[in-house]
Amino acid sequence: MLSEVDGTLQGHRDGHGFLLPDAGAQDIYLAPQEMHAVMHGDRLRVRITRYDKRGRPEGRVLEILERKKKPIIGRLLLESGVWLVAPEDKRMGQDILIPKNGTANATAGQVVAVELIEPPSLYSQPVGRVVEVLGEIDDPGMEIEIAVRKYDVPHRFSAETLAQAAKLPEKLRAVDLKGRIDLRDVPLVTIDGEDARDFDDAVYCEPHKQGRGKTAFNGWRLLVAIADVSHYVKPGDPLDADAYERATSVYFPRRVIPMLPEKLSNGLCSLNPYEDRLSMVCDMLVSETGEVQAYQFYPAVICSHARFTYNEVAAILGNTHGPEAAKRRELVPHLLHLHEVYRALLAERGRRGAIDFDTTETQIVCDDNGRIEKIVPRTRNEAHRLIEEAMLAANVCAADFIADAKHGSLFRVHEGPTPEKRVALQAYLRALGLGLSISDNPKPQEFQAIAAATKERVDATQIHAMLLRSMQQAVYTSANAGHFGLSYEAYTHFTSPIRRYPDLLVHRVIKALLSNKRYHLDAGKMAVPMPAKRPGRAQPIDPAKASTELERWEVVGAHCSANERRADEASRDVEAWLKCRYMREHLGEEFAGTVSAVTSFGLFVQLDALFVEGLIHITELGGEYFKFDEVRQELRGERTGIRYATGAKVQVQVSRVDLDARKIDFRLVQDSEEARLIARAQRDKAGLPAAGRAAPTPVEALEDLRRQDREVKKSAGKKAGKPARRSTKSAAPTAHPVKAARQAARGKAAPKATGKKR
């Protein structure tokens, strides 16, 4: 109590906020009256004033340490002669006043970027000026322009970076080939999606036999060639500075914000077919059992012999005499060898106990104006899995190579469940009565065993979702703690240096080790903000205090992990905006859906036909009280006993779309099946036999409920002294059913009706 805490303010659209402490302690609640003089993103000093009944701290703002300096994106409005900007990010909480001379010729309704002139105070709104006019809200791609600024995604390369990229050669030079293995005659091929533009990996496989007797080796030689970005992007260059700031490419529907300029990402580094390219090769010997018996890394020059798509390779593997195979006849044997080594690696994956969930990914197909035309499931075929296993093998070899050399680097670490999530998962599995659970020190094999044993159940989606949620998010870190989901002792990212900065760093480390040198991080990379502490993890290192090489790697890992999450949030925001815009055309329509998540405030439902998710608020579930069972992850009606859990099938109506909040609301449509379940639940509660009775229609079930309610109210009115309507018959009135039930529970007889009028 009364302790002072520094941190960053996270606003809420409802007017209150939370301070995220620098030290990683529990978030501190700030009431709406504390938010008048501050805005989302400000750094504050707060004093804890009290704790609520659940032990959560509440605070009061003492000091504003630093104002957020980034421009604010919003729509320019003219209300009663006053110009103001309504921020796109509703966490800002306040509209921004704009002087008449600060509109920069923008017109009302346009999307603009605003720079604050005067911050908010206790008695005044913030004042700003327009610094950039983005355009009209309905302009194609406007949702992306908003997202990149809303989430501070770097989207413009510096002039120095563009100048350096322009000076790079168009083709390979003789000096570039020095010290490289020439693999241009090896039929390496790329296999990517139909819409891919940058090709950073090529593969080749051939059968390999070696030795005799007990030492004989039978298997395959697998080559994974990765674009050698590190040859062109050197430490300290403007290209490197911009790549580090971005840390990853950001993928939106119809647009990509690349980590590297297009001349590199789609040109000089991309393994385009029939063009000589520099690469780093992971050359592996894979046994018949799927184990990598030996590997080596070396720089090479390659020439891709073909650009395959996933669907094309899947068609060839499915029919080697089909039209697709006829077009690529000379390469079909190599594809078959790739498929053979993939089957061996997949079998080893199963023996290793790696977790493999069958999840449905979706792809948004947009029209020429950038609006959603349709949303289709992205099916994974044999070609997807083939490339995935080849990339996993190369990444594992890279991690093993670096770990053996005891060199600092970034590992891709995925830890198992925290103790709290483990206990919650154990309770959930016990409640289901599966006869399966996880130990106190769970292994990936246990998760995979549960996934395999439940994949045919109707609630398989719910069970698999709970297994996924119990595990932690993968991060980049200098400490090798293994990869829980893939069941690897060491794992890193080596195969995508065009779009991921950690992969570029791994390439530099491997090159340094091949030259018997050490790679030292640039001290300039430590000039990044202090990362926030994440639940279940140790306190992050202050970049300004990173003194050892290991601490510097940890800072870089935290920076790359944070920017990866930022890219994901920006992509999800754009997809949510597009889906809301799409669903506005379907207001009032009914769809079949599946419950994807259950919360205390309602059900999230994904539409089966459109793959769009929305919320059925708990108030839309009917006129009774629903209780949230956290262990079973379900809502249960207290009166009818009807339950809603993940995986349940429901019929919904699109009732509301909030484009600003990126929210879609559904209304539950009661169908005949649901009415039958409610009626059956009522019969069970009343103790009536189900046999010999026909299932009531929805109208009959509803009328039965109303009749029971009328009888209870009628009896309650009698007790309160209200005159009851006299019957033409001389039947005596019945006792109040609730009172009779209570007295019966106490062992007393129900009071006899006297027949007297009260």
Side-chain angles (χ1 to χ4, degrees):
M1 188 74 74
L2 302 181
S3 60
E4 298 180 2
V5 181
D6 294 350
T8 303
L9 175 63
Q10 184 178 77
H12 193 278
R13 62 182 291 112
D14 291 340
H16 59 268
F18 295 91
L19 185 83
L20 310 182
D22 294 339
Q26 191 175 6
D27 296 350
I28 301 170
Y29 172 79
L30 297 176
Q33 59 266 29
E34 295 292 329
M35 301 289 289
H36 293 310
V38 295
M39 299 185 76
H40 169 74
D42 291 347
R43 284 186 41 76
L44 311 175
R45 178 165 293 153
V46 166
R47 173 174 291 162
I48 298 176
T49 55
R50 65 182 293 269
Y51 289 86
D52 65 10
K53 294 179 179 179
R54 297 173 61 181
R56 296 173 297 187
E58 298 182 11
R60 180 167 60 87
V61 177
L62 292 180
E63 184 181 355
I64 301 169
L65 302 176
E66 184 181 355
R67 292 284 187 182
K68 185 178 181 180
K69 296 183 175 63
K70 297 287 184 179
I72 299 170
I73 309 301
R75 293 186 70 181
L76 183 65
L77 306 174
L78 180 61
E79 296 184 356
S80 303
V82 178
W83 290 97
L84 56 87
V85 167
E88 168 67 24
D89 191 343
K90 300 306 176 185
R91 295 176 297 181
M92 291 296 173
Q94 302 184 56
D95 292 341
I96 302 164
L97 298 175
I98 307 295
K100 290 183 178 180
N101 60 354
T103 59
N105 297 322
T107 58
Q110 287 188 312
V111 181
V112 297
V114 176
E115 182 181 75
L116 288 184
I117 301 173
E118 298 177 15
S121 68
L122 290 175
Y123 307 105
S124 64
Q125 287 181 255
V127 180
R129 63 184 180 88
V130 176
V131 293
E132 183 183 6
V133 180
L134 276 66
E136 302 295 336
I137 188 65
D138 290 327
D139 288 349
M142 180 55 64
E143 67 279 358
I144 298 176
E145 296 295 335
I146 292 172
V148 295
R149 292 163 176 82
K150 179 178 176 181
Y151 291 95
D152 299 330
V153 176
H155 58 284
R156 294 193 180 101
F157 290 107
S158 66
E160 295 80 7
T161 294
L162 295 175
Q164 184 185 357
K167 293 179 182 178
L168 292 172
E170 298 294 333
K171 295 183 179 180
L172 298 189
R173 302 162 299 183
V175 67
D176 297 326
L177 308 183
K178 185 179 179 181
R180 292 181 179 271
I181 305 296
D182 193 340
L183 298 180
R184 284 176 285 190
D185 60 331
V186 177
L188 288 143
V189 298
T190 61
I191 305 175
D192 293 277
E194 281 78 359
D195 54 351
R197 296 180 60 195
D198 56 332
F199 312 113
D200 48 15
D201 58 84
V203 291
Y204 167 77
C205 184
E206 64 182 17
H208 184 80
K209 293 184 179 181
Q210 181 178 313
R212 293 181 179 179
K214 293 183 178 180
T215 61
F217 173 84
N218 288 324
W220 300 268
R221 183 186 180 194
L222 174 63
L223 272 67
V224 175
I226 306 299
D228 191 359
V229 177
S230 62
H231 180 82
Y232 301 101
V233 182
K234 303 292 185 183
D237 285 352
L239 273 171
D240 185 56
D242 268 12
Y244 178 66
E245 182 186 14
R246 298 176 180 223
T248 181
S249 297
V250 187
Y251 293 86
F252 300 109
R254 299 179 71 245
R255 181 180 170 187
V256 177
I257 297 180
M259 186 181 78
L260 299 170
E262 190 171 346
K263 185 171 183 179
L264 285 168
S265 60
N266 296 344
L268 200 54
C269 291
S270 182
L271 305 183
N272 299 326
Y274 319 118
E275 295 185 19
D276 294 349
R277 289 289 184 261
L278 304 181
S279 70
M280 282 293 295
V281 175
C282 179
D283 194 339
M284 295 166 278
L285 292 181
V286 183
S287 70
E288 292 177 320
T289 60
E291 296 180 3
V292 178
Q293 298 284 10
Y295 65 83
Q296 60 177 333
F297 290 92
Y298 50 81
V301 54
I302 70 165
C303 179
S304 172
H305 282 47
R307 181 265 202 264
F308 282 105
T309 66
Y310 292 122
N311 292 335
E312 188 179 6
V313 171
I316 292 172
L317 295 176
N319 182 8
T320 55
H321 299 288
E324 293 85 359
K327 296 176 185 177
R328 310 276 195 166
R329 193 173 303 280
E330 70 283 358
L331 295 174
V332 169
H334 306 304
L335 292 179
L336 294 176
H337 295 324
L338 279 169
H339 190 250
E340 290 169 0
V341 76
Y342 150 69
R343 300 299 299 178
L345 290 169
L346 187 64
E348 167 59 21
R349 179 192 186 112
R351 287 190 293 270
R352 198 173 65 245
I355 303 172
D356 188 12
F357 295 124
D358 283 332
T359 56
T360 303
E361 296 183 6
T362 57
Q363 178 183 1
I364 294 177
V365 179
C366 296
D367 57 20
D368 293 337
N369 294 321
R371 302 291 180 253
I372 291 182
E373 190 175 280
K374 58 182 177 180
I375 303 173
V376 296
R378 194 193 296 267
T379 55
R380 279 167 46 86
N381 53 40
E382 287 285 276
H384 287 88
R385 298 183 179 94
L386 183 154
I387 289 299
E388 179 183 314
E389 289 298 330
M391 297 304 113
L392 289 176
N395 286 336
V396 171
C397 291
D400 184 73
F401 185 65
I402 295 171
D404 281 352
K406 295 181 172 56
H407 193 292
S409 184
L410 290 183
F411 293 93
R412 184 66 168 176
V413 170
H414 178 233
E415 295 182 283
T418 61
E420 295 79 11
K421 289 186 176 182
R422 173 181 54 77
V423 171
L425 180 60
Q426 288 173 331
Y428 170 74
L429 294 173
R430 281 196 303 270
L432 289 181
L434 293 173
L436 297 169
S437 188
I438 59 171
S439 63
D440 291 339
N441 185 23
K443 300 291 187 293
Q445 295 88 334
E446 299 176 44
F447 281 72
Q448 181 59 22
I450 295 172
T454 58
K455 64 180 180 180
E456 302 298 332
R457 288 172 57 106
V458 293
D459 56 351
T461 303
Q462 175 187 0
I463 296 170
H464 293 180
M466 288 298 295
L467 292 174
L468 279 171
R469 289 173 191 165
S470 70
M471 291 182 283
Q472 301 182 56
Q473 189 177 25
V475 295
Y476 295 106
T477 177
S478 61
N480 176 28
H483 197 291
F484 183 84
L486 296 172
S487 191
Y488 287 131
E489 293 182 0
Y491 187 72
T492 191
H493 277 168
F494 162 79
T495 54
S496 298
I498 291 178
R499 61 185 180 90
R500 291 190 305 228
Y501 195 82
D503 301 54
L504 174 58
L505 289 176
V506 168
H507 276 235
R508 289 175 179 169
V509 170
I510 290 176
K511 275 190 174 181
L513 291 174
L514 292 176
S515 303
N516 295 318
K517 297 178 181 178
R518 307 285 291 183
Y519 175 71
H520 298 285
L521 281 172
D522 182 5
K525 289 183 172 46
M526 301 304 106
V528 292
M530 173 72 179
K533 183 183 181 301
R534 301 182 64 216
R537 299 192 181 275
Q539 175 68 27
I541 296 171
D542 187 344
K545 298 178 182 178
S547 56
T548 67
E549 188 74 10
L550 197 63
E551 289 177 344
R552 292 192 183 99
W553 279 107
E554 191 64 32
V555 168
V556 171
H559 169 77
C560 292
S561 298
N563 284 12
E564 179 187 42
R565 291 192 295 272
R566 178 182 67 184
D568 290 341
E569 289 172 357
S571 298
R572 283 195 295 266
D573 186 80
V574 168
E575 290 186 8
W577 192 94
L578 289 171
K579 288 178 179 179
C580 286
R581 184 67 181 260
Y582 179 56
M583 292 308 294
R584 285 205 306 192
E585 302 170 4
H586 297 280
L587 278 171
E589 296 182 24
E590 294 183 9
F591 298 93
T594 303
V595 177
S596 56
V598 182
T599 68
S600 59
F601 53 85
L603 309 171
F604 285 97
V605 175
Q606 185 180 64
L607 304 183
D608 296 339
L610 301 182
F611 300 97
V612 172
E613 191 175 66
L615 174 70
I616 303 177
H617 196 268
I618 197 167
T619 55
E620 297 286 348
L621 293 179
E624 69 167 313
Y625 180 75
F626 279 88
K627 187 175 181 181
F628 177 56
D629 188 333
E630 191 171 0
V631 174
R632 294 179 179 269
Q633 289 291 300
E634 67 180 20
L635 286 174
R636 186 184 184 97
E638 284 200 342
R639 185 155 58 93
T640 61
I642 192 168
R643 297 182 296 174
Y644 295 101
T646 308
K649 298 293 183 179
V650 292
Q651 189 78 11
V652 299
Q653 182 187 52
V654 183
S655 62
R656 181 173 175 267
V657 176
D658 187 343
L659 198 59
D660 292 335
R662 315 288 197 264
K663 291 181 178 180
I664 302 169
D665 290 335
F666 296 146
R667 180 182 296 114
L668 187 66
V669 178
Q670 184 172 305
D671 58 12
S672 58
E673 174 66 15
E674 185 182 352
R676 186 181 64 78
L677 290 174
I678 292 176
R680 187 176 69 183
Q682 291 168 348
R683 287 200 306 271
D684 293 343
K685 289 261 184 181
L688 298 176
R693 286 189 59 181
T697 65
V699 176
E700 291 172 343
L702 184 59
E703 184 57 35
D704 191 37
L705 274 174
R706 289 173 176 168
R707 180 183 56 76
Q708 291 182 26
D709 287 342
R710 283 197 300 269
E711 288 180 358
V712 172
K713 290 176 182 177
K714 180 179 176 182
S715 300
K718 284 181 169 186
K719 184 171 174 89
K722 296 179 182 178
R725 185 179 297 174
R726 293 186 64 86
S727 173
T728 56
K729 297 183 180 181
S730 59
T734 59
H736 191 283
V738 176
K739 185 175 181 180
R742 286 177 179 168
Q743 290 178 339
R746 296 176 185 147
K748 299 179 181 179
K752 294 181 180 180
T754 60
K756 294 182 180 178
K757 186 177 178 181
R758 289 191 177 184

